Amino acid sequence: MDFTLKIWRQENAQAKGHFETYKLTGISPDCSFLEMLDILNETLINDNIAHPVVFDNDCREGICGMCGLYINGRPHGPDDGVTTCQLHMRRFKDGDTITIEPWRAKAFPIIKDLVVDRSAFDKIIQEGGYISATTGGVPDANAIPIPKQDADEAMDAASCIGCGACVAACKNASAMLFVSAKVSQFALLPQGKPEAKRRVVKMIKKMDELGFGGCTNTYACEAECPKSIKKTNIARMNREFICSKCTSNEQ
Amino acid sequence: MKLIKLASISKKLCMGALGAFLLVFLPFHMGMNLCILRDDGGEWYRNVCHFMGTNYIVKVFEVILLACVVFHIVMGIILAIENKMSRPVGYAVANKSKTHSGSKYMIWTGGIILVFLIIHFVDFYFAKMGLVEGKYVVKVEKVERAFQEKAMKMQQGQLKEADLKELQAQYMAIQSMSREKVSKNEKYFINLNKEEVQVVCGKDFEDYEPDFYNMAKEKFHSPLYVLIYLLTFIILAVHLFHGVSSVFQTYGLNVQMYQKAINGLAWFYAVVIPMGFAIVPLIVYFTK
Amino acid sequence: MATLNSKIPEGPLAEKWTKYKASQKLVNPANKRKLDVIIVGTGLAGASAAASLGALGFNVKVFCIQDSPRRAHSIAAQGGINAAKKYPNDGDSIGRLFYDTIKGGDYRAREANVHRLAEVSNNIIDQCVAQGVPFAREYSGYLANRSFGGAQVSRTFYAKGQTGQQLLLGAYSALSQQVKAGTVKLYTRKEMENLVVIDGKARGIITRDVRTGEIERWFGHCVVLATGGYGNVYYLSTNAMNSNGSAAWQCYKKGAFFANPCYVQIHPTCIPVHGDYQSKLTLMSESLRNDGRIWVPKKKEDAEAIRAGKKTANDIAEEDRDYYLERRYPAFGNLVPRDIASRAAKERCDAGYGVGTGKAVFLDFKEAINRLGKDKVAERYGNLFQMYQKITDDNPYETPMMIYPAVHYTMGGIWVDYELQTTIPGLFAAGEANFSDHGANRLGASALMQGLADGYFVLPYTIQNYLSAEIYNDRIPTTTPEFDSAEKEVKERIQKILDVKGKKTVDTLQKELGHIMWDYVGMGRTKEGLEQAIPMIQALKKEFWSNVRVDEGNECMNPELEKALRLADHIELAELIARDALQREESCGGHFREEHQTEEGEAKRDDQNFMFVGAWQYKGENETPEMHKEDLNYEFIKVQQRNYK
């Protein structure tokens, strides 16, 4: 298969970026998207065309959340429910032009080419995305039964990989789906209850501070989430937020 | 300033609450409008207008409603600006993600609705406030009473020369009132402009009301106005379809159990309400 | 030959750890604040150690190469985590978990360490549940279990097919809490390039910031290496692209012994290789073997027809299918340990019965779907099936999956004693980076257990024991000559690579190394093959240093340079793997020497001569390293031939 690639190139955070167009021929349809970029980079080096395109990637099996490209107007490309590394070239037509951009958000500054800094997500988690259980000194694992449905729902929320596709897809670059997945997970579990009221307020405050937008319920995040995290998590977080604001004793 | 400092969710909650309040108002307004269609020469409609124009509870609500509209708009603009700022550099390829219908364009549909609201206010609400001239309606009974009072005064010789002239003109005007200016049940003089009111009722008569019925009918006879009206309600449908389901999401109420009911409500607001509004100008226009 | 002191406490096996904890030295809270601990790596072991040590009050600095600690490759573990909770009442116990792990490791693991692992396994589950890890549950609300390879009980706890992810996120959240509390300082996108040793003790590290190329110095009263394994030496593996053995190798070069490098686990259920451009192999969880049946055609002509595309799996009649694992190992069937399942697959494919490209066997769910219904199968393995379909474009509900073994885990690693301390005082190694608990083969769902055991429950004790003597030592400024020279070494190495300006890209050379390793040091090894491989690797090293091409400089984000730095170390590490494999004249666990097998083709151990840990000591550039032996004494377990029949 042959492709024309329009790729965003940007030397560093301060530099002004631009699109470069590269032609790539003879790609197998079984090739993954990132493998296609590997081949491109080999070609760029060997043919002395340009420095290789820098893009984040690690596990290449859709779980680490490292990869993330905005491909032809959709985060993680045209396939639903997959990360960029699991996207295969058979999803494109021979001769297609593919435009590849980095995640765009104020809270995700570009480091180089297609690599962005997502440490804002870590900062949100640090505000309250945990249950304070110091090592040791916890009850037996079966001491508190948890209804299967709650556990399953918590698991679904917890399967977020923190890739940032929700932010990239959202017209407001909002991190609501990401934050709500974590808030939901703990809201559903009895272990998460003691800190629930503080957690939701602090995490949202941090999200706002970091420059993410607000939610306008467009649900592009849900449509693009490679782990199919549901928008009902956002509703649950809103509920938690209202409940916290109305009943919390803390200032 | 305080508004801006609120958490993004809090702003959204305000937005939703204000929107929800406005939603409650819409069916009332629609019901009122539908009265126009009743073939009673505007009798029902006039009564409703009279009630709305004079009842104190309604007046209180009117103020609240206006405040809601203003805050809903202010909030919407603040949120839109903030959200815009969260992505300073946009994408080269426009986003193709699946989104909830209408959700991406709320600020724009809202803006169009605002423009329509301004036109609507200038046409109707300002007339009520007396800021612009409209058409007016007076009760025949009241005019007659006022006339009789003046006639009494005349008999007692209390009237000056000028007043006498006015009284004569008034008498002539009432006598020669055309059939169109008298309501079907002959209880009202209708569709009077300011000048006519002054002639028919006398200069110091104040007990008249705007004749919304005839004002509306007149507007609805203009094809341009009907077109604008219809387009606006299509836009409103889009705005409401997202707005209604969105408010449940914002308040965290869209639990799986109620999802169907919420969708139903969204469709009701997106289809029935705008249809209810839109049907009035259409019927008026095509049956003139 | 120097003897290695493994510092195993005296006393009965079951009391060793308790006794150790009771007699170890502690550091008082005021002093903890004055002690710096460097932790490299944020996988299960690194993150849990950082969180626990931070919570204790130590000053922790934690480093990772990705943009967030949550991306460490522990996240990709699918199947589950073992613990001797005995919730299903099926006869499990700490003793049995201990025994299974030792036996699974083919009697090449240290008894005391493994028993400690089995002891703390239960605490791990308690800890994780308290952290909000959403383990699978029964309708009763109690935790669910499933079975895994090498065990006859159900002791594996799981969270869908994403157990590693959930456990890592649990550790990551605990770490995040400490970052917020200020006890842990988090440094992302920094790769450890060198170890700083002062007066014989590990005192710090040198890192390279992968965003800017900046070389930085960090001081710590001790250093914990939790950098994972070196599977990527083989190029194609189930490891992540950035997983590497570089940091461990740098420590080896500074004097830490490297133990059992030849023990490399080849995982039986991976999606087969399908092209040259392929960058990695994807694992299909071992849990699939619970319900999937592995087979190849009984007749060679059927296999040939399938390879040629003339027949499909569904065309082969039931009686013409060879369920070779069930045939050879009736007691464990499809749930034999990984090394055995892998070798059996290779044996069938080498004999000409392979399907697909010839290097694949079927993993069939038809029987499970008939027995349980499609919904139940989807509930158990849905996400794995979906992943398989995304990659191969085949629907595993209709046609059997195709699988083939691939490099997955390295049991070998930095040598550590009972306290997880390496031969360099103050340098600790945890998780896959050390060699300690899995012997020659790791059982499924044991890696997660070991990583978390080391981080949550072992290091917080043993490090304190070490640091209790360090309270008299103030922080050392990073301007000492030792830091200077460590940094200089790094800068010189980088410059040397950049100066080569050759013709071959790093990936090309990496692939060449991978081919040598897979062909000669892979699943079946021979004396001749290994003797051929060593000069080939040495030649590749020469080629690397004379013909590698890395453009752009150090002062920017330059993945080619990162890869080159790692490859330089991997080539050297590859040679050590080959040497170790050559020296070990027996077959055990992941190490299979074709000369040493029974008539039935099973691995033949030589307990007489090889019941030891081979710990290699660096002797200098281009010098032959020296091997030290740590004899393994089985006091409590009767050593026997591994039998899963």
Side-chain angles (χ1 to χ4, degrees):
Chain A
M1 296 174 92
D2 301 344
F3 298 104
T4 305
L5 304 169
K6 275 180 73 185
I7 301 178
W8 183 261
R9 304 297 311 256
Q10 183 172 337
E11 201 48 46
N12 53 51
Q14 291 78 37
K16 209 168 138 45
H18 63 281
F19 279 100
E20 282 288 349
T21 307
Y22 305 110
K23 297 254 184 220
L24 203 54
T25 54
I27 298 293
S28 155
D30 287 332
C31 205
S32 80
F33 198 84
L34 297 185
E35 282 161 0
M36 182 274 292
L37 288 179
D38 288 342
I39 296 171
L40 171 74
N41 278 343
E42 286 286 294
T43 321
L44 293 184
I45 300 171
N46 287 330
D47 298 352
N48 297 312
I49 298 171
H51 289 316
V53 178
V54 184
F55 58 94
D56 259 337
N57 70 100
D58 200 18
C59 78
R60 297 211 177 182
E61 49 187 276
I63 193 75
C64 75
M66 191 87 172
C67 65
L69 301 173
Y70 187 84
I71 302 160
N72 285 348
R74 288 187 65 184
H76 294 309
D79 233 355
D80 285 338
V82 296
T83 53
T84 305
C85 62
Q86 288 179 303
L87 177 66
H88 284 72
M89 296 317 289
R90 63 177 89 94
R91 287 289 286 118
F92 296 89
K93 285 202 289 292
D94 193 18
D96 271 0
T97 297
I98 304 172
T99 309
I100 308 169
E101 298 174 70
W103 284 175
R104 297 274 191 201
K106 188 178 167 197
F108 290 168
I110 291 180
I111 295 175
K112 185 177 183 181
D113 290 348
L114 302 170
V115 177
V116 297
D117 179 3
R118 283 169 293 196
S119 51
F121 272 5
D122 286 336
K123 293 195 184 104
I124 294 176
I125 296 293
Q126 284 158 15
E127 279 305 303
Y130 48 77
I131 291 171
S132 306
T134 335
T135 310
V138 295
D140 183 86
N142 256 350
I144 311 169
I146 301 173
K148 181 173 163 47
Q149 201 183 337
D150 289 352
D152 287 351
E153 253 188 273
M155 176 62 222
D156 287 342
S159 59
C160 167
I161 57 173
C163 64
C166 46
V167 176
C170 178
K171 78 178 186 68
N172 310 326
S174 173
M176 286 285 274
L177 194 66
F178 170 80
V179 181
S180 71
K182 202 31 84 182
V183 167
S184 268
Q185 178 197 346
F186 292 146
L188 283 158
L189 299 172
Q191 287 86 355
K193 289 282 189 290
E195 292 167 285
K197 287 179 186 174
R198 274 186 83 154
R199 178 181 301 119
V200 60
V201 172
K202 289 183 82 177
M203 286 176 79
I204 286 167
K205 187 160 170 257
K206 195 74 194 173
M207 176 188 92
D208 291 344
E209 270 172 34
L210 289 164
F212 291 102
C215 181
T216 45
N217 303 338
T218 63
Y219 314 138
C221 51
E222 186 189 40
E224 296 302 350
C225 176
K227 296 292 146 188
S228 306
I229 309 254
K230 293 199 200 84
K231 63 172 192 270
T232 44
N233 290 307
I234 299 181
R236 187 179 290 107
M237 176 163 79
N238 290 338
R239 207 152 63 222
E240 290 281 314
F241 181 84
I242 297 168
C243 167
S244 169
K245 280 283 179 190
C246 296
T247 61
S248 177
N249 296 326
E250 286 178 46
Q251 282 295 300
Chain B
M1 219 46 222
K2 228 165 172 189
L3 277 182
I4 294 170
K5 275 191 189 150
L6 280 177
S8 61
I9 295 189
S10 302
K11 282 182 207 146
K12 186 73 184 146
L13 288 169
C14 292
M15 194 73 195
L18 297 165
F21 187 79
L22 298 180
L23 287 177
V24 177
F25 159 75
L26 279 176
F28 286 104
H29 196 321
M30 181 189 78
M32 201 171 121
N33 282 14
L34 285 173
C35 293
I36 293 179
L37 295 182
R38 198 165 184 271
D39 192 21
D40 61 356
E43 179 64 26
W44 275 29
Y45 187 70
R46 201 169 292 123
N47 287 341
V48 174
C49 285
H50 177 76
F51 173 76
M52 299 298 271
T54 50
N55 187 288
Y56 284 102
I57 297 171
V58 174
K59 282 192 169 168
V60 171
F61 264 94
E62 201 174 86
V63 175
I64 297 174
L65 194 69
L66 264 174
C68 275
V69 171
V70 172
F71 270 112
H72 190 74
I73 293 166
V74 170
M75 268 305 188
I77 291 170
I78 292 177
L79 276 172
I81 292 171
E82 279 183 355
N83 289 338
K84 198 87 202 157
M85 277 174 10
S86 58
R87 177 169 292 134
V89 183
Y91 291 111
V93 181
N95 186 279
K96 294 197 184 79
S97 306
K98 254 177 269 154
T99 51
H100 192 251
S101 308
S103 60
K104 270 169 130 177
Y105 311 108
M106 288 303 268
I107 187 74
W108 304 116
T109 49
I112 292 170
I113 294 164
L114 175 64
V115 171
F116 176 78
L117 266 186
I118 291 168
I119 298 173
H120 189 66
F121 265 54
V122 169
D123 285 348
F124 293 91
Y125 197 74
F126 283 15
K128 181 173 160 186
M129 306 285 288
L131 296 173
V132 296
E133 204 191 304
K135 291 289 166 53
Y136 302 92
V137 57
V138 285
K139 255 192 169 159
V140 175
E141 195 184 309
K142 281 182 184 171
V143 175
E144 279 172 350
R145 201 183 304 135
F147 183 80
Q148 276 164 9
E149 271 173 23
K150 273 191 187 168
M152 288 268 259
K153 279 184 183 169
M154 186 187 71
Q155 280 168 357
Q156 288 163 2
Q158 287 168 347
L159 284 186
K160 294 192 188 112
E161 188 75 5
D163 293 334
L164 267 173
K165 262 196 177 155
E166 193 193 296
L167 198 64
Q168 274 171 354
Q170 199 177 351
Y171 180 75
M172 292 296 289
I174 292 171
Q175 285 298 311
S176 62
M177 186 67 83
S178 65
R179 286 303 308 160
E180 291 101 64
K181 301 250 166 173
V182 182
S183 71
K184 240 181 182 175
N185 57 8
E186 299 194 336
K187 279 186 182 162
Y188 296 93
F189 294 132
I190 55 172
N191 210 9
L192 306 171
N193 58 30
K194 197 98 186 194
E195 208 178 320
E196 288 170 325
V197 171
Q198 282 179 354
V199 175
V200 174
C201 312
K203 275 206 175 74
D204 46 356
F205 185 85
E206 278 179 348
D207 211 2
Y208 55 88
E209 288 173 18
D211 187 0
F212 289 129
Y213 179 75
N214 284 299
M215 280 159 78
K217 277 207 150 173
E218 187 190 315
K219 296 270 182 218
F220 292 159
H221 287 156
S222 145
L224 182 69
Y225 195 91
V226 172
L227 199 69
I228 292 174
Y229 198 92
L230 289 181
L231 285 177
T232 307
F233 278 95
I234 291 170
I235 298 285
L236 182 72
V238 175
H239 197 82
L240 292 185
F241 181 68
H242 178 66
V244 172
S245 58
S246 185
V247 75
F248 288 94
Q249 167 82 359
T250 302
Y251 277 82
L253 300 171
N254 59 347
V255 188
Q256 201 57 43
M257 240 167 85
Y258 313 124
Q259 200 56 54
K260 275 198 175 144
I262 292 167
N263 285 344
L265 193 67
W267 278 108
F268 172 78
Y269 264 99
V271 176
V272 178
I273 296 278
M275 284 268 272
F277 276 103
I279 203 167
V280 177
L282 279 177
I283 292 179
V284 171
Y285 182 75
F286 286 109
T287 57
K288 63 178 168 187
Chain C
M1 238 189 242
T3 47
L4 293 159
N5 180 7
S6 53
K7 292 198 232 158
I8 297 170
E10 294 298 314
L13 188 64
E15 290 166 26
K16 284 182 195 286
W17 181 233
T18 319
K19 269 177 86 175
Y20 176 89
K21 286 192 287 185
S23 57
Q24 62 147 143
K25 296 192 198 89
L26 297 174
V27 181
N28 89 26
N31 283 330
K32 280 180 188 145
R33 283 194 291 276
K34 295 180 195 153
L35 293 166
D36 294 355
V37 179
I38 286 177
I39 296 175
V40 188
T42 58
L44 286 179
S48 57
S52 303
L53 290 165
L56 282 173
F58 291 104
N59 238 320
V60 181
K61 295 174 196 142
V62 64
F63 296 82
C64 68
I65 48 177
Q66 295 91 348
D67 69 337
S68 163
R70 65 182 296 157
R71 315 232 189 261
H73 199 52
S74 305
I75 204 152
Q78 297 167 349
I81 177 166
N82 285 335
K85 276 287 192 189
K86 46 189 183 279
Y87 287 150
N89 196 28
D90 54 2
D92 200 7
S93 63
I94 287 173
R96 193 174 286 273
L97 174 56
F98 158 71
Y99 173 75
D100 284 345
T101 309
I102 290 276
K103 180 185 171 195
D106 220 353
Y107 303 95
R108 290 293 175 266
R110 202 187 277 154
E111 259 188 341
N113 284 48
V114 177
H115 199 274
R116 175 177 66 190
L117 178 66
E119 280 173 59
V120 302
S121 67
N122 291 342
N123 304 33
I124 297 172
I125 304 300
D126 297 343
Q127 184 63 32
C128 291
V129 167
Q131 281 172 348
V133 171
F135 282 121
R137 287 177 184 266
E138 307 288 358
Y139 277 103
S140 58
Y142 293 111
L143 291 161
N145 286 113
R146 62 182 169 203
S147 50
F148 244 63
Q152 285 171 314
V153 292
S154 285
R155 63 159 74 101
T156 305
F157 294 81
Y158 61 99
K160 271 196 176 167
Q162 292 143 269
T163 318
Q165 180 199 26
Q166 292 312 313
L167 296 176
L168 181 64
L169 292 182
Y172 160 72
S173 67
L175 172 67
S176 297
Q177 186 198 352
Q178 294 307 319
V179 171
K180 181 69 187 170
T183 55
V184 176
K185 294 255 175 339
L186 174 64
Y187 300 96
T188 59
R189 292 203 199 253
K190 289 191 200 295
E191 182 154 11
M192 172 177 164
E193 298 292 350
N194 210 348
L195 179 75
V196 181
V197 180
I198 300 175
D199 296 335
K201 288 179 179 173
R203 288 301 192 192
I205 60 168
I206 307 293
T207 62
R208 177 178 181 274
D209 190 305
V210 300
R211 284 163 296 200
T212 59
E214 193 185 349
I215 310 294
E216 290 162 295
R217 309 165 175 204
W218 308 92
F219 165 78
H221 286 92
C222 68
V223 176
V224 179
L225 204 64
T227 51
Y230 48 87
N232 268 346
V233 169
Y234 287 76
Y235 186 62
L236 281 184
S237 78
T238 64
N239 282 6
M241 304 308 287
N242 291 315
S243 303
N244 69 83
S246 221
W249 193 250
Q250 291 305 325
C251 293
Y252 164 76
K253 283 180 141 183
K254 284 278 152 109
F257 290 5
F258 208 108
N260 297 338
C262 76
Y263 292 158
V264 174
Q265 179 166 77
I266 316 274
H267 198 291
T269 50
C270 298
I271 299 177
V273 180
H274 53 80
D276 289 338
Y277 49 82
Q278 201 160 349
S279 57
K280 80 154 270 157
L281 295 171
T282 304
L283 177 80
M284 289 281 104
S285 168
E286 176 158 313
S287 60
L288 291 171
R289 287 199 275 145
N290 266 315
D291 288 308
R293 297 177 75 195
I294 295 174
W295 62 277
V296 289
K298 242 179 210 163
K299 297 180 198 144
K300 247 186 200 155
E301 55 270 27
D302 280 344
E304 278 157 17
I306 290 176
R307 287 203 292 271
K310 286 178 198 149
K311 277 186 179 178
T312 66
N314 294 333
D315 297 334
I316 311 297
E318 195 58 36
E319 62 271 18
D320 289 331
R321 298 178 175 193
D322 177 15
Y323 296 94
Y324 58 87
L325 286 177
E326 293 168 32
R327 168 169 60 80
R328 283 174 69 175
Y329 309 101
F332 280 69
N334 292 298
L335 281 176
V336 290
R338 291 172 176 177
D339 54 334
I340 291 173
S342 293
R343 270 200 302 279
K346 181 178 175 343
E347 187 272 329
R348 280 291 86 190
C349 291
D350 288 350
Y353 294 93
V355 295
T357 56
K359 294 226 176 284
V361 297
F362 288 124
L363 176 61
D364 200 337
F365 287 88
K366 199 164 87 185
E367 193 257 349
I369 290 170
N370 290 341
R371 174 165 48 90
L372 301 163
K374 195 178 162 182
D375 290 345
K376 191 81 189 165
V377 171
E379 187 192 314
R380 282 187 194 170
Y381 311 110
N383 59 332
L384 296 170
F385 278 32
Q386 189 204 2
M387 183 157 88
Y388 182 85
Q389 190 166 7
K390 287 282 176 207
I391 293 170
T392 61
D393 216 15
D394 279 335
N395 181 356
Y397 292 103
E398 279 153 22
T399 54
M401 281 185 182
M402 281 195 278
I403 52 162
Y404 198 67
V407 173
H408 178 56
Y409 186 89
T410 52
M411 281 71 67
I414 298 287
W415 185 90
V416 290
D417 58 21
Y418 189 72
E419 296 185 304
L420 303 184
Q421 189 162 206
T422 68
T423 46
I424 303 174
L427 177 67
F428 294 79
E432 191 180 352
N434 74 27
F435 88 105
S436 70
D437 295 351
H438 305 299
N441 174 55
R442 177 174 69 74
L443 288 183
S446 281
L448 301 182
M449 173 170 69
Q450 187 225 339
L452 290 179
D454 288 358
Y456 282 133
F457 297 107
V458 180
L459 280 179
Y461 291 95
T462 61
I463 280 194
Q464 263 196 87
N465 198 36
Y466 172 79
L467 289 177
S468 62
E470 288 293 322
I471 55 171
Y472 311 105
N473 298 327
D474 289 338
R475 295 189 170 106
I476 299 172
T478 55
T479 47
T480 61
E482 290 87 349
F483 276 98
D484 289 344
S485 71
E487 184 183 298
K488 199 163 145 251
E489 277 171 37
V490 173
K491 286 187 168 162
E492 280 172 1
R493 192 162 66 233
I494 291 172
Q495 200 50 50
K496 204 174 150 197
I497 288 176
L498 292 172
D499 287 344
V500 176
K501 297 195 194 311
K503 290 213 163 56
K504 280 192 176 173
T505 61
V506 184
D507 278 0
T508 315
L509 291 163
Q510 174 80 74
K511 279 181 193 171
E512 282 175 28
L513 177 66
H515 281 305
I516 299 172
M517 292 305 283
W518 183 248
D519 292 343
Y520 297 96
V521 201
M523 255 191 292
R525 301 159 177 177
T526 62
K527 190 166 190 288
E528 298 79 59
L530 292 166
E531 278 170 350
Q532 276 178 317
I534 292 172
M536 284 166 90
I537 296 167
Q538 285 166 341
L540 190 72
K541 184 176 169 181
K542 276 209 185 75
E543 163 136 49
F544 175 88
W545 288 106
S546 59
N547 200 21
V548 71
R549 173 173 178 180
V550 178
D551 300 340
E552 295 185 274
N554 174 48
E555 280 78 35
C556 63
M557 194 173 203
N558 189 351
E560 290 297 307
L561 178 61
E562 290 164 38
K563 284 191 282 184
L565 281 162
R566 293 169 196 161
L567 179 58
D569 292 337
H570 280 178
I571 295 175
E572 296 176 3
L573 180 47
E575 188 184 327
L576 193 71
I577 299 174
R579 269 185 204 288
D580 191 44
L582 185 63
Q583 138 321 103
R584 194 163 279 278
E585 287 277 355
E586 63 161 351
S587 293
C588 63
H591 170 66
F592 188 74
R593 283 283 296 269
E594 285 173 11
E595 304 94 320
H596 303 285
Q597 52 180 314
T598 63
E599 277 160 27
E600 296 154 310
E602 304 297 337
K604 202 164 124 195
R605 273 196 342 254
D606 180 355
D607 291 339
Q608 211 68 46
N609 298 309
F610 289 94
M611 193 132 63
F612 62 78
V613 174
W616 296 83
Q617 184 184 10
Y618 183 68
K619 286 286 177 186
E621 186 76 19
N622 298 323
E623 299 291 324
T624 312
E626 184 190 348
M627 191 185 74
H628 302 270
K629 290 181 184 173
E630 179 202 342
D631 288 324
L632 292 167
N633 303 312
Y634 288 96
E635 297 171 42
F636 304 93
I637 260 185
K638 202 168 134 255
V639 178
Q640 35 186 246
Q641 195 61 38
R642 223 160 43 129
N643 182 8
Y644 290 97
K645 288 182 190 277

